[in-house]
Amino acid sequence: MTVKLSAFSLLLLISTIAPAQVDSTPWNRPIEPFRIIGNLYYVGGADLTSYLIVTSRGLILLDGGSSALAPVIQRHIEELGFKVEDIRILLNNHAHSDHAGGLALFKRLSGARMIASEGDRASLERYHVQVDRVIHDGESVELAGVRLRAVLTPGHTPGCTTWTMTVVEGGKSYDVVFLCSISPPSRYSLVDNKAYPQIVSDFEHSFERLKHLPCDIFLSAHGTFFHLQEKSAQLRAGARPNPFIDPDGFRWFVAASEREFKEQLRQQRISAAHAGDH
């Protein structure tokens, strides 16, 4: 378990580097797009994720990547045989630029409706894209019978949104979770954060919700969180059952994230107490 936590800490470090550094990393490196399961496709980069949901009345795109990755996502959509102009709905995991920077391009090319949480709306509209509809916790987005439900899991950002849906393959239904990042970015203070005073209670609430969330297919904002490249290689090699069916991986990641959060909070409280003694 010690080894796992060490690796996990590295993943959190990778995910919390300032967004301005993202474009100089391999995260935007293209990887071959592919069908994950059912009507769900992967169109993102090597680590910054983007998902395409196909319906009979158009496409839903979840996350537009960074501004540098957006043209790669566009190319991936076209390589799979779909048209960017057919995107009807744009969704976002959270409003950091590495996941939202490309949304404006897709809105411009498709005229799709941008749907996001109230907590992230201001950041999206200030830096990235106009929001057409604000979605609240438990509400759904639906297109041609395909439904995605918003599960608000704030902390990483005030409006961090975990999306869920059901896919069907081989006559069987699977619960899909697109997990929002659940780590405090390294530049965030958990103690006496005047810009985000409820950050600790938000994280605690989110972890509690996620522990009880049904999950068969575990996906997230960063591929490293759910071993994207390993699983996609297994899928291409014909592995059965589908390697993206990973409920245990989801449970482990949520539990490890909570442990990491509690340790970070403990260390910051100790530091704050020492600072107060001087």
Side-chain angles (χ1 to χ4, degrees):
M1 183 59 71
T2 301
V3 174
K4 275 193 171 183
L5 282 175
S6 176
F8 176 77
S9 298
L10 178 61
L11 296 185
L12 291 187
L13 177 62
I14 288 172
S15 73
T16 55
I17 294 174
Q21 294 176 290
V22 168
D23 289 345
S24 64
T25 73
W27 300 353
N28 287 321
R29 179 174 59 81
I31 63 172
E32 185 178 350
F34 62 95
R35 187 175 71 89
I36 299 173
I37 191 170
N39 62 333
L40 173 60
Y41 294 79
Y42 187 79
V43 293
D47 186 60
L48 294 178
T49 61
S50 182
Y51 304 96
L52 191 71
I53 299 106
V54 177
T55 84
S56 61
R57 291 178 50 201
L59 308 171
I60 301 170
L61 184 67
L62 172 51
D63 280 347
S66 65
S67 57
L69 184 61
V72 175
I73 295 173
Q74 179 183 359
R75 186 170 72 246
H76 285 171
I77 292 171
E78 293 165 352
E79 287 174 357
L80 289 169
F82 304 108
K83 297 179 179 179
V84 171
E85 293 81 4
D86 289 336
I87 297 173
R88 298 289 177 262
I89 295 172
L90 292 170
L91 304 177
N92 184 227
N93 191 282
H94 63 277
H96 288 161
S97 61
D98 49 342
H99 306 280
L103 289 169
L105 171 67
F106 294 106
K107 187 169 179 58
R108 185 169 70 251
L109 293 175
S110 67
R113 297 180 69 212
M114 180 71 226
I115 300 174
S117 65
E118 182 64 46
D120 275 6
R121 178 181 184 175
S123 292
L124 285 170
E125 293 190 334
R126 187 178 304 118
Y127 301 113
H128 308 299
V129 64
Q130 181 70 31
V131 174
D132 300 299
R133 174 190 165 191
V134 169
I135 195 162
H136 301 96
D137 187 44
E139 293 182 345
S140 295
V141 173
E142 188 168 347
L143 182 65
V146 175
R147 179 179 300 170
L148 286 97
R149 186 171 73 97
V151 180
L152 296 191
T153 48
H156 192 76
T157 65
C160 212
T161 305
T162 292
W163 293 92
T164 67
M165 67 176 292
T166 300
V167 298
V168 178
E169 183 157 284
K172 185 173 180 179
S173 297
Y174 297 93
D175 292 318
V176 182
V177 173
F178 304 92
L179 178 68
C180 189
S181 293
I182 48 175
S183 59
S186 57
R187 62 192 183 280
Y188 278 28
S189 173
L190 296 173
V191 177
D192 193 27
N193 187 328
K194 292 180 173 56
Y196 190 175
Q198 76 276 19
I199 186 170
V200 171
S201 60
D202 273 1
F203 267 115
E204 291 172 342
H205 174 73
S206 295
F207 286 125
E208 192 59 33
R209 294 203 71 186
L210 290 167
K211 291 175 187 177
H212 305 288
L213 194 65
C215 177
D216 297 309
I217 308 291
F218 171 33
L219 304 170
S220 192
H222 286 275
T224 43
F225 293 172
F226 60 97
H227 305 292
L228 164 67
Q229 296 198 54
E230 296 89 334
K231 289 176 179 176
S232 61
Q234 293 167 12
L235 188 66
R236 285 195 300 273
R240 292 292 182 270
N242 188 314
F244 286 93
I245 301 172
D246 189 13
D248 291 340
F250 173 71
R251 299 297 170 205
W252 179 86
F253 188 80
V254 170
S257 297
E258 184 176 29
R259 288 193 296 271
E260 193 78 10
F261 163 77
K262 287 180 176 179
E263 177 59 19
Q264 190 170 340
L265 177 61
R266 186 182 74 83
Q267 292 290 348
Q268 288 192 21
R269 282 174 170 166
I270 291 172
S271 297
H274 286 335
D277 292 336
H278 295 294

